[in-house]
DNA sequence: GCCGGATGTTAGCGCCGCTTAGATCGCAGA
DNA sequence: TCTGCGATCTAAGCGGCGCTAACATCCGGC
């Protein structure tokens, strides 16, 4: 049984999973290459065969979390036909992920993870969909004729801001569970749609 | 002249200033206690007389940056009388700071800096002002009778989201200079006021 | 069967945060 | 003016870190 083989067999995945879980629970500062190696039962130099340096490992974790966010957004999007409902559901899903996995959410949007990574293209694809949706709404007379790009960006900024505040435990929204996060996201989105009426 | 004294005389401030500048320019990972000590011409143990550990130093940097943000917000607030103009100017100032000092902006809102720090009270004070402003607007019939807290939070989330996206070099708003950031902040705020009309 | 590349090991370099023990200084009160 | 004491610094060192170089082992394709 538990015999010591020279080769681990699945070291890359083992490291990635352990690191992913640790970062989720304790934060990025909580992991070290050496500790991960110990936990996997390999020497401290072994991890560097699979991740050239620590930042690459963190990037891989961020990519995994980013993919999970994308998966959730797609999931809720296909569940509801109506375009507006779809949009709201995606907002809620985004904010909920931030509430449930604040550290991973932060890592996905950290500067080091963002630079030159997947976020560019995946995100851009979703943005094009959103803009198409808005233009559709404008043609149907449901949405005022403001710049669609601006409308999309504003919606995103609101969603992202809420998510960030929750993830960072901003004093204003401290300790929201994901149900409260859901309600807040819906209310704020609604408010954006109707406008707060200053002007 | 440059004689070696045993006591530095102003080590705490020297360390804080050097660290502040370095974090602003290179990021929090770029500083080390030992390097700061070398730069200040002092032994590597000396900094620990003034900062019990590295996190406390980072907290002090965050506090300094936070105070600067507060100063800017107050500054633009007194410059313009009209309440709405005041609110817009504060939004712009906030987003501009994020564009000009992305790393410091991020540090101020990092979880470790936030927990148990000044942000609680200072921020709360500003929030009460904002809510009072909204209630005033509602009484004057300018703002619909939604929950003032929700309105305040939504405005803040939008502003904060924009600032974060810019500071983190989110692909959507990459490479905005502070003038472009200003325009975007104004446009998005305007859009929130009129509403985007989905609904 | 064997051999080359992928994947592991051991050893070690230089840096780090932080601690302890003792040196030096500057100032308040005798 | 002297003295003693607390604040501030130094020297030395501990254990951990990221990462590298040189060598060992294993596996899959010729």
């Amino acid at each position: 049984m538990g015999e010591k083989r020279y080769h681990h067999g699945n070291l890359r995945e083992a490291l990635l999973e352990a690191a992913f879980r640790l970062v989720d629970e304790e934060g990025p500062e909580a992991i070290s290459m050496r500790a991960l190696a110990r936990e996997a039962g390999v020497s401290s130099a072994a991890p560097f065969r699979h991740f050239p340096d620590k930042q690459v490992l963190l990037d891989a974790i961020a990519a995994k979390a980013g993919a999970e966010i994308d998966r959730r957004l797609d999931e809720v999007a296909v569940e509801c036909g109506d375009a507006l409902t779809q949009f709201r559901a995606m907002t809620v899903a985004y904010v909920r992920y931030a509430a449930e996995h604040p550290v991973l959410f932060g890592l996905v949007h950290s500067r080091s993870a963002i630079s030159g990574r997947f976020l560019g293209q995946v995100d851009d694809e979703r943005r094009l969909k959103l803009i198409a949706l808005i233009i559709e709404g404008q043609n149907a007379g449901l949405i005022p004729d403001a710049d669609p790009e601006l409308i999309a960006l504003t919606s995103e900024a609101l969603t992202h801001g809420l998510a960030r505040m929750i993830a960072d435990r901003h004093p204003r929204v401290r300790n929201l569970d994901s149900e409260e996060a859901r309600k807040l996201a819906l209310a704020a989105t609604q408010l954006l749609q109707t406008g707060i009426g200053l002007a």
Side-chain angles (χ1 to χ4, degrees), chain A residues 48-70:
Chain A
F48 293 93
R49 292 286 161 202
H50 301 278
F51 303 97
D53 60 41
K54 191 179 180 176
Q55 187 57 53
V56 172
L57 172 57
L58 288 173
D59 287 351
I61 295 171
K64 204 171 167 181
E68 169 64 11
I69 293 178
D70 283 332

Side-chain angles (χ1 to χ4, degrees), chain A residues 2 6 39 106 140 181:
Chain A
Y6 189 89
E39 191 165 339

Side-chain angles (χ1 to χ4, degrees), chain A residues 61-100:
Chain A
I61 295 171
K64 204 171 167 181
E68 169 64 11
I69 293 178
D70 283 332
R71 201 192 56 73
R72 293 196 185 191
L73 291 185
D74 289 339
E75 191 181 52
V76 300
V78 299
E79 277 175 4
C80 35
D82 176 79
L84 178 55
T85 316
Q86 196 171 319
F87 173 68
R88 282 191 186 139
M90 284 171 64
T91 296
V92 168
Y94 191 78
V95 171
R96 280 183 63 164
Y97 188 87
E100 290 166 16

Side-chain angles (χ1 to χ4, degrees), chain A residues 41-167:
Chain A
V42 295
S43 78
S44 51
F48 293 93
R49 292 286 161 202
H50 301 278
F51 303 97
D53 60 41
K54 191 179 180 176
Q55 187 57 53
V56 172
L57 172 57
L58 288 173
D59 287 351
I61 295 171
K64 204 171 167 181
E68 169 64 11
I69 293 178
D70 283 332
R71 201 192 56 73
R72 293 196 185 191
L73 291 185
D74 289 339
E75 191 181 52
V76 300
V78 299
E79 277 175 4
C80 35
D82 176 79
L84 178 55
T85 316
Q86 196 171 319
F87 173 68
R88 282 191 186 139
M90 284 171 64
T91 296
V92 168
Y94 191 78
V95 171
R96 280 183 63 164
Y97 188 87
E100 290 166 16
H101 301 281
V103 179
L104 290 173
F105 181 84
L107 186 63
V108 168
H109 295 96
S110 67
R111 287 154 64 82
S112 43
I114 281 179
S115 50
R117 240 187 7 87
F118 71 105
L119 218 163
Q121 59 238 30
V122 171
D123 223 49
D124 220 53
E125 193 180 318
R126 204 178 301 287
R127 167 178 163 240
L128 293 180
K129 269 195 214 161
L130 178 55
I131 289 180
L133 195 73
I134 291 169
I135 293 179
E136 197 181 327
Q138 288 178 326
N139 290 337
L142 292 171
I143 301 179
D145 272 341
D147 176 9
E149 301 237 8
L150 177 62
I151 295 180
L153 185 50
T154 304
S155 312
E156 279 199 313
L158 175 57
T159 303
H160 188 68
L162 275 178
R164 269 288 198 181
M165 289 172 76
I166 291 171

